[in-house]
């Protein structure tokens, strides 16, 4: 009986750890094309296949086009945020090449808790 309880506790801890990791704040700052981060900053093309570590990340294949809406700054400048069709999420900037730039000047703003929203089967998960 004790062994079964130990296994359940271990599974609970692993599940909790994965949940916290998938909702952690990736950066306190981001750069956008406008203060609300609503305008597309650029259009990029994937130069490699990418599969993100959790549902906050945008998965894509080589050659697909992505619209970029923000770029994390300061702590984590390698991650950009964009969309491909109805999918939206983070991806590494070195996995894409810029095809077209839409804005002349970037605006740096604080991130929000909702920037790190992870959708799990119709449930919203926050840190």
């Amino acid at each position: 009986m004790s062994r079964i309880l130990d296994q359940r506790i271990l599974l609970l801890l692993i599940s909790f750890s994965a949940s916290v990791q998938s909702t952690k704040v990736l950066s306190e700052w981001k750069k956008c094309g406008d203060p609300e981060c609503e305008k597309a900053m650029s259009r990029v093309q994937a130069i490699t296949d990418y599969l993100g570590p959790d549902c906050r990340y945008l998965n894509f294949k080589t050659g697909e086009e992505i619209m970029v809406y923000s770029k994390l700054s300061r702590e984590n400048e390698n991650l950009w945020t964009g969309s491909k069709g109805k999918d939206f999420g983070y991806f590494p900037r070195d996995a894409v090449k810029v095809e077209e730039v839409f804005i002349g000047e970037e605006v740096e703003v604080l991130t929000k808790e909702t920037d790190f929203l992870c959708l799990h089967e119709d449930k919203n998960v926050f840190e």
Side-chain angles (χ1 to χ4, degrees):
M1 182 69 145
S2 175
R3 185 174 176 189
I4 293 173
L5 183 60
D6 290 344
Q7 289 175 341
R8 286 184 180 177
I9 290 172
L10 180 60
L11 286 173
L12 181 64
L13 289 173
I14 291 170
S15 175
F16 177 75
S17 173
S19 175
V20 169
Q21 181 180 357
S22 70
T23 59
K24 71 179 183 177
V25 172
L26 300 172
S27 178
E28 290 186 29
W29 294 91
K30 63 183 176 180
K31 293 180 182 177
C32 301
D34 63 284
E36 292 79 29
C37 298
E38 294 176 351
K39 293 181 183 175
M41 299 175 72
S42 60
R43 180 177 52 81
V44 300
Q45 185 176 43
I47 57 174
T48 186
D49 292 355
Y50 178 72
L51 181 61
D54 63 49
C55 66
R56 296 175 301 165
Y57 291 80
L58 183 67
N59 300 323
F60 49 79
K61 297 204 179 292
T62 303
E64 291 187 310
E65 288 189 349
I66 301 162
M67 300 300 288
V68 177
Y69 287 91
S70 68
K71 303 172 181 178
L72 295 184
S73 61
R74 300 187 188 188
E75 299 97 13
N76 205 349
E77 293 185 353
N78 185 48
L79 288 178
W80 290 2
T81 312
S83 67
K84 175 189 67 134
K86 293 181 179 180
D87 298 328
F88 187 85
Y90 295 96
F91 59 91
R93 71 178 181 189
D94 59 358
V96 300
K97 68 176 179 178
V98 176
E99 293 285 309
E100 186 176 5
V101 176
F102 302 130
I103 53 112
E105 189 173 325
E106 297 175 349
V107 178
E108 190 171 50
V109 297
L110 283 167
T111 59
K112 304 172 193 169
E113 185 177 63
T114 55
D115 291 336
F116 308 103
L117 172 68
C118 195
L119 297 174
H120 286 290
E121 300 170 4
D122 299 327
K123 293 184 235 171
N124 298 334
V125 180
F126 291 96
E127 180 176 24

